[in-house]
């Protein structure tokens, strides 16, 4: 299980690429915890916010989130194999997937 602090740092390292997202995405971790990525207003803010407001919610394990952010797991592969579930805007999820794949 990946440490939530490590996950926040990993997402922050990708902040420049994610700054064009323009939406809020919450990652609900199946093994406990929640991370809110706020990429509105041209900047990226990453926090551990339980139940924070978001345009899209992605449910996955902390290990799979770490693999997604580090480029070791394709967002489309994670979704198609059921390791990633999306609630809310599919368009936001697709845009985030494109930014993570970059």
């Amino acid at each position: 299980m990946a440490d939530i602090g490590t996950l926040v740092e990993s997402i922050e390292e990708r902040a420049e690429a994610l700054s064009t997202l323009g939406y809020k995405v919450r990652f609900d971790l199946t093994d406990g915890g929640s991370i809110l990525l706020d990429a509105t207003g041209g900047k990226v803010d990453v926090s551990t916010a339980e139940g924070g407001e978001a345009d899209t919610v992605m449910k996955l394990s902390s290990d799979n989130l770490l693999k997604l952010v580090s480029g070791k797991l394709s967002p489309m592969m994670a979704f198609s194999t059921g390791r990633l579930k999306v609630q809310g805007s599919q368009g936001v999820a697709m845009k985030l997937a494109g930014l993570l794949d970059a």
Side-chain angles (χ1 to χ4, degrees):
M1 183 169 105
D3 174 64
I4 205 144
T6 304
L7 290 168
V8 168
E9 285 175 22
S10 297
I11 295 169
E12 286 174 340
E13 286 171 10
R14 301 291 306 271
E16 192 174 329
L18 298 174
S19 64
T20 59
L21 182 63
Y23 295 97
K24 291 182 183 180
V25 176
R26 193 176 76 231
F27 299 98
D28 284 350
L29 306 175
T30 55
D31 42 4
S34 199
I35 297 174
L36 182 67
L37 166 67
D38 182 349
T40 57
K43 63 179 180 50
V44 174
D45 184 40
V46 184
S47 60
T48 53
E50 290 290 328
E53 287 280 317
D55 299 291
T56 298
V57 177
M58 298 186 164
K59 293 188 178 216
L60 70 169
S61 73
S62 58
D63 288 340
N64 282 332
L65 177 56
L66 189 59
K67 288 176 189 170
L68 270 181
V69 173
S70 63
K72 293 186 173 102
L73 176 64
S74 153
M76 296 311 292
M77 177 63 75
F79 183 76
S80 63
T81 58
R83 289 184 270 182
L84 168 66
K85 296 189 177 12
V86 178
Q87 295 175 324
S89 171
Q90 300 284 326
V92 173
M94 294 297 290
K95 187 170 181 183
L96 177 62
L99 294 173
L100 286 174
D101 264 349

